[in-house]
Amino acid sequence: MNYGRTFNFSAGPAMMPEPVLEEIQGEMMNYRGSGMCVMEMSHRSKVFEQIIQDAEADLRKLMNIPDNYKVLFIQGGGTLQFAMVPMNLMKNGKAVYIETGSWSKKAIAEAKKYGEVIIAASSKDKNFSYIPDCSDLDIPEDADYVYICENETINGTTYFELPNTKGHVLVSDQSSMFLSRPCDVSKYGLIWAGVQKNVGPAGLAVVIIREDLIRDDLPAYVPTYLNYKTHADAASLYNTPNCWAIYCCGKVFKYLQNTIGGLEAMNRLNEEKAAVLYDFLDSSKLFKGAVVKKDRSLMNVPFVTPSKEMDADVVAASVAAGFSNLKGHKSVGGLRASIYNAMPKEGVEALVAFLKDYEAKH
Ligand SMILES: *Cc1c(COP(=O)(O)O)cnc(C)c1O
C-alpha cells in the first residue's frame, strides 16, 4: 500500500519497519479482543503483562542474552542513563571514559557530577573523525568501569573492535546501533540504548545489566527510581512504564527475528546498504565522507561538500526531491544520512541517485 511516506534519514526518532507500523495500526482500536488500545491498558493487566514478558523474551532470544543479565525497560530515554550509570556503578568513585564525540562528551560531563572521570583515549585532535586505539589503555586498578559510546550518532564513527578493558567492566551506549549487528553480551557489564534511533518510539531505554552489578548499597541521595535494583526487582513494572513504547519495541524484536532472520542477517543488509552510500562518497569529486574508512558507522553517515553554502543548497534540493532530515547536526554541520535498520536499500539507492544527479549539475 502506498501511504505517501518519504525516505526519512532522521537520526532519531527515526523510521520504523512498515510491516510493524501496519500491524500496530491493525491493533489500534482493539488489541487482540481486549476491547482497548494498548495505550489505554492497565500496566497491571494480564494482557500487558504478556506484552512486556514477550518483549523481554524476544529480545533475549534475538541477542542471545545470558541468564545472568537482567533486561530492564526504563523511562527517561537515553540521557537519563548518563546519570544512572555512574550513580549505580561508581563504587570507588572512579571511571574511565573514551571520548569519541558528542554523545560520549555528554556522558563524561554527567559522570563528573558523581566521581572522578579519567579520559583514557580521545579522538578530539581530529574532530572526532576516528576511533582511538583502545588496545592498551592506561586504566587505574580501582576504576569501576570503562565507558564507550559504541556508535557516535552525530560524528558517524563506530567501534568494530571493543576496547581492551584489562578485566574491568565495560559499559556501552549502543543507542544508535542497537540490534544493527550481532553482539556478544557476555563481553559487557552493562549495555544501554535509547530505543528511538533503531527500534521504536522515544522515551524508553533498554538496559541490559549483569546481575552482580546491581547494588543495594547505593548512597542515600540516589532516587529510588534511579536505582537499577528497583527496576530489576519489579521486572520493569515498579511504576507505570512506557507501555506503548515497550509494545512497539516488542513488535520490532519479533520482526527482526522472524522476518529479517536475526542479527547476522540484519548486519548483512546494513553492510550492503551502507556500501551503496560509501562507495558513492568514495568515488565522488563533490561529496566527501567525514570519517576515516576503518571506523565508519553503518548507521549514521556524515558527509560534506566543499562549502557550507553548497551543503545548505543540497539539503534544500533534497527536501524538494522528497527526502527528509538530511541536514547535519548543528554542532558539526554538513549533511548526514542516518540509515538505520528500517531504512530500505531502495531509500539509500534513491539518495545516491539524487546526489549523483546533483553532482552532474554542479
Ligand atoms: C540519541 C542518543 C542519546 C540520547 O537519547 P535521548 O533519548 O534523546 O535522551 C544518547 N546516546 C546516543 C548515542 C544517542 O544517539
Side-chain angles (χ1 to χ4, degrees):
M1 170 141 185
N2 182 5
Y3 298 101
R5 291 160 55 78
T6 72
F7 290 123
N8 176 7
F9 292 91
S10 169
M15 287 179 83
M16 287 177 61
E18 214 158 88
V20 168
L21 292 179
E22 283 176 331
E23 216 179 291
I24 291 168
Q25 183 182 41
E27 292 174 346
M28 184 67 76
M29 300 312 287
N30 184 349
Y31 176 78
R32 300 189 184 175
S34 65
M36 58 188 84
C37 172
V38 175
M39 276 189 258
E40 305 169 302
M41 195 175 276
S42 165
H43 61 297
R44 304 285 173 207
S45 65
K46 282 265 170 301
V47 183
F48 186 74
E49 244 172 45
Q50 193 65 49
I51 290 173
I52 192 170
Q53 283 168 11
D54 284 354
E56 177 177 340
D58 288 334
L59 181 62
R60 283 186 175 278
K61 184 168 166 209
L62 191 60
M63 292 184 79
N64 205 5
I65 300 173
D67 288 341
N68 63 325
Y69 286 75
K70 292 279 189 198
V71 172
L72 310 175
F73 299 107
I74 303 177
Q75 299 190 49
T79 296
L80 189 58
Q81 294 309 310
F82 293 146
M84 277 184 84
V85 164
M87 273 186 181
N88 282 265
L89 265 45
M90 273 190 179
K91 253 185 168 164
N92 300 326
K94 195 182 282 187
V96 166
Y97 278 67
I98 313 300
E99 185 186 48
T100 48
S102 303
W103 290 114
S104 47
K105 272 167 49 182
K106 285 215 164 152
I108 288 165
E110 193 69 17
K112 280 182 175 167
K113 293 184 169 189
Y114 305 100
E116 187 186 342
V117 170
I118 295 143
I119 298 174
S122 172
S123 53
K124 198 175 176 177
D125 60 337
K126 290 189 180 140
N127 220 359
F128 301 116
S129 59
Y130 71 105
I131 296 290
D133 178 7
C134 296
S135 60
D136 186 19
L137 299 168
D138 203 355
I139 304 171
E141 207 44 58
D142 61 346
D144 291 307
Y145 59 89
V146 176
Y147 181 105
I148 59 170
C149 174
E150 204 163 333
N151 186 86
E152 284 278 5
T153 322
I154 291 171
N155 308 84
T157 55
T158 202
Y159 288 78
F160 287 105
E161 202 177 317
L162 293 175
N164 175 4
T165 64
K166 302 181 175 171
H168 290 80
V169 168
L170 179 64
V171 176
S172 176
D173 171 2
Q174 289 197 348
S175 298
S176 50
M177 50 141 328
F178 193 54
L179 307 181
S180 68
R181 63 192 191 201
C183 168
D184 181 353
V185 176
S186 70
K187 290 189 171 145
Y188 303 77
L190 189 153
I191 294 167
W192 67 264
V195 301
Q196 77 275 22
K197 307 294 162 68
N198 215 3
V199 193
L204 177 70
V206 173
V207 174
I208 302 167
I209 180 172
R210 214 175 61 209
E211 276 170 356
D212 60 286
L213 297 173
I214 297 172
R215 292 164 58 194
D216 51 17
D217 62 342
L218 290 189
Y221 70 78
V222 176
T224 308
Y225 192 81
L226 302 192
N227 187 338
Y228 288 126
K229 191 169 190 302
T230 301
H231 301 277
D233 288 351
S236 300
L237 287 166
Y238 171 73
N239 69 333
T240 319
N242 187 339
C243 299
W244 180 251
I246 292 167
Y247 159 74
C248 296
C249 289
K251 293 239 176 262
V252 174
F253 301 155
K254 266 203 190 347
Y255 170 82
L256 290 175
Q257 187 73 56
N258 301 337
T259 306
I260 299 292
L263 298 186
E264 298 269 0
M266 190 68 250
N267 184 46
R268 274 194 301 278
L269 292 173
N270 284 330
E271 280 175 349
E272 278 173 33
K273 219 162 62 184
V276 173
L277 184 49
Y278 282 126
D279 287 350
F280 165 71
L281 292 174
D282 288 344
S283 68
S284 170
K285 293 197 169 59
L286 190 67
F287 299 100
K288 199 168 156 292
V291 171
V292 303
K293 239 178 180 173
K294 70 174 181 46
D295 301 324
R296 306 198 282 209
S297 168
L298 301 189
M299 301 281 104
N300 311 99
V301 184
F303 56 100
V304 293
T305 70
S307 76
K308 281 197 171 88
E309 293 69 34
M310 190 175 266
D311 289 346
D313 188 54
V314 179
V315 171
S318 75
V319 173
F323 300 101
S324 301
N325 294 311
L326 280 161
K327 192 169 178 215
H329 190 269
K330 59 184 185 303
S331 66
V332 296
L335 295 104
R336 172 178 52 168
S338 292
I339 49 174
Y340 296 118
N341 285 355
M343 169 63 69
K345 193 174 175 193
E346 300 82 72
V348 183
E349 286 166 348
L351 173 64
V352 166
F354 161 79
L355 294 173
K356 271 188 181 153
D357 182 56
Y358 187 95
E359 182 166 356
K361 288 179 181 148
H362 293 78

